[in-house]
Amino acid sequence: AGFGLYDAVRFVRAVPSFFVTNTTQTLGKTANTLIDFDIEAHDTGGFFNTTLGQNKFVAPFDGVYEFKAQILGSNLTNNHADSYLWLSKNSGELLRGTKSYTGTSSEYDYHIDSGPVKLEKGDIMQIFYNSAHASDSVLTGSTSQNFFSGVQIQ
């Protein structure tokens, strides 16, 4: 006969999640510019690296994750034809986001909503901006308009 002491004990780990923001960044004329999200609103588990030039989420566990990102770009002459935001998994393009006109001259909103993404421990997720245009772009807006977030959902 036991005391049942361990029947009620349950170990639950925190669910990895993050929400990082960026208020301004110049996006060069290069094909792919890593978006530097340098302000952490939260980072449960500390798995997002905000070091400039290395901004990335590293999956701490195998599982299914979901990611969202948005940037507000201005100074987009000629609508920066063929420009887009993309979600990178281990340095490869996983999916491209959408672009919409905000109604303000030369200003566009870029958005990603990944849906479920299967990751293995150590997989790296990042956000890039692709521009085939001849001029620079500028991220503008507040920390509520430029963000990257993710959470393990399974």
Side-chain angles (χ1 to χ4, degrees), residues 81 94 108 141:
L94 181 66
Y108 284 80

Side-chain angles (χ1 to χ4, degrees), residues 52-121:
L52 293 180
Q54 299 180 30
N55 275 218
K56 62 187 171 191
F57 170 75
V58 180
F61 310 104
D62 292 355
V64 178
Y65 295 75
E66 185 171 74
F67 300 95
K68 295 181 186 299
Q70 175 179 290
I71 63 169
L72 184 65
S74 68
N75 299 338
L76 302 182
T77 56
N78 298 323
N79 305 331
H80 271 215
D82 302 322
S83 65
Y84 56 90
L85 197 64
W86 59 279
L87 179 64
S88 166
K89 177 181 175 186
N90 299 326
S91 300
E93 186 178 313
L94 181 66
L95 65 88
R96 291 184 184 186
T98 60
K99 177 173 78 170
S100 60
Y101 181 59
T102 65
T104 301
S105 178
S106 299
E107 188 174 84
Y108 284 80
D109 176 55
Y110 296 82
H111 185 81
I112 288 176
D113 189 351
S114 73
V117 177
K118 185 172 175 63
L119 297 181
E120 295 179 358
K121 181 179 179 177

Side-chain angles (χ1 to χ4, degrees), residues 34-38 48-56 126:
L34 176 65
I35 304 297
D36 283 321
F37 295 98
D38 54 350
F48 193 91
N49 180 348
T50 58
T51 303
L52 293 180
Q54 299 180 30
N55 275 218
K56 62 187 171 191
Q126 296 174 294

